[in-house]
Amino acid sequence: CFLPAYSMGDRYWWRSMVNYYTWRDMASYVNIDPELDRGQSYMDAGTVYFKEGSYVMRNRSVAFHNGVTYCVAPIMRNASLDDTAIADQLPVLNGFTVPRSGTVDFWAVGTDCCGSGEFFDCGDVSSFMSRSGLRVLDARSRSMYVLGVQEWSATTGLPVRHPLFFTWVRDPIVHAESLQDKCLTDFVVRSVTCCLMCFVVSYMVHNLLHKVHVT
């Protein structure tokens, strides 16, 4: 039972628990402005609280299909909230106002949640109280999201230099703790199940050996 238990435990750690502890070890930033800030300054970000007025452009998302559907949508902020004169001077490209940072680096992402017509519906994006993000850590998913962002950039003509991908959430702390609680519950259930299976298998082997010995 040791080898199967070790294998299952190792796989469970990498699939479930590692994100929670990695987020804790990464940096947390407050008042990030997608209009002014650039992704290269926050490469170590795990938890991000965006500045008031930040939002996900749900109707400007892109879906990239590869087994599952990888959905990406830019996180933006209206420059007119700070200075209407500045906002009026910003260039407009293909219907998009180019951010003052010169790049669109902050992205909300998810899988199989684009809805009809590639309308972004991932995470807590439907909540008006949401303006926070938890960094996406899975390397394979990130590579798929990069392809989606490249398609978006080629379509719109806007530059994307250092894209960072986030799960859009209302409260990152509550979200992370709920993930931990779910993982601990799953761990207990799987541990008990594994013990019961080992007991049943041991009992069956014992009866078999006993019958062979009697014979």
Side-chain angles (χ1 to χ4, degrees):
C1 292
F2 175 77
L3 289 178
Y6 176 84
S7 177
M8 290 175 63
D10 183 70
R11 185 165 55 178
Y12 177 77
W13 164 261
W14 288 107
R15 286 187 176 182
S16 304
M17 294 295 292
V18 69
N19 283 354
Y20 173 78
Y21 291 103
T22 304
W23 285 327
R24 290 179 57 183
D25 292 337
M26 297 178 75
S28 179
Y29 292 98
V30 179
N31 273 346
I32 301 301
D33 189 346
E35 172 68 20
L36 292 174
D37 295 316
R38 298 183 178 184
Q40 66 185 40
S41 301
Y42 303 97
M43 301 301 288
D44 61 341
T47 304
V48 167
Y49 297 86
F50 291 96
K51 194 171 183 179
E52 185 176 359
S54 302
Y55 64 97
V56 177
M57 297 189 72
R58 302 178 66 183
N59 60 338
R60 298 292 185 134
S61 66
V62 166
F64 183 83
H65 304 278
N66 186 15
V68 300
T69 301
Y70 295 88
C71 310
V72 298
I75 300 171
M76 309 292 274
R77 185 172 181 271
N78 194 342
S80 63
L81 294 175
D82 297 325
D83 192 327
T84 304
I86 293 178
D88 292 339
Q89 296 173 4
L90 294 175
V92 177
L93 187 62
N94 293 326
F96 289 88
T97 301
V98 180
R100 280 178 283 176
S101 63
T103 178
V104 182
D105 285 345
F106 299 95
W107 294 82
V109 299
T111 56
D112 293 330
C113 51
C114 297
S116 60
E118 297 182 355
F119 186 76
F120 191 84
D121 196 26
C122 308
D124 295 334
V125 71
S126 59
S127 172
F128 293 104
M129 300 295 293
S130 302
R131 54 185 177 92
S132 306
L134 283 169
R135 187 80 169 271
V136 173
L137 303 174
D138 179 62
R140 184 179 185 280
S141 295
R142 287 203 307 270
S143 64
M144 296 296 105
Y145 293 137
V146 167
L147 294 175
V149 165
Q150 290 174 347
E151 178 182 340
W152 186 92
S153 179
T155 302
T156 62
L158 270 69
V160 180
R161 297 190 174 90
H162 297 90
L164 301 180
F165 304 112
F166 298 91
T167 300
W168 192 253
V169 296
R170 179 172 179 175
D171 189 327
I173 296 176
V174 172
H175 184 87
E177 289 181 348
S178 65
L179 175 63
Q180 183 192 33
D181 292 340
K182 180 180 181 300
C183 290
L184 291 176
T185 301
D186 289 346
F187 175 76
V188 171
V189 171
R190 294 185 184 196
S191 297
V192 172
T193 302
C194 185
C195 290
L196 290 175
M197 289 178 63
C198 288
F199 175 78
V200 171
V201 171
S202 300
Y203 179 76
M204 293 174 64
V205 171
H206 172 76
N207 283 345
L208 180 61
L209 293 176
H210 179 71
K211 290 180 180 179
V212 170
H213 179 70
V214 170
T215 304

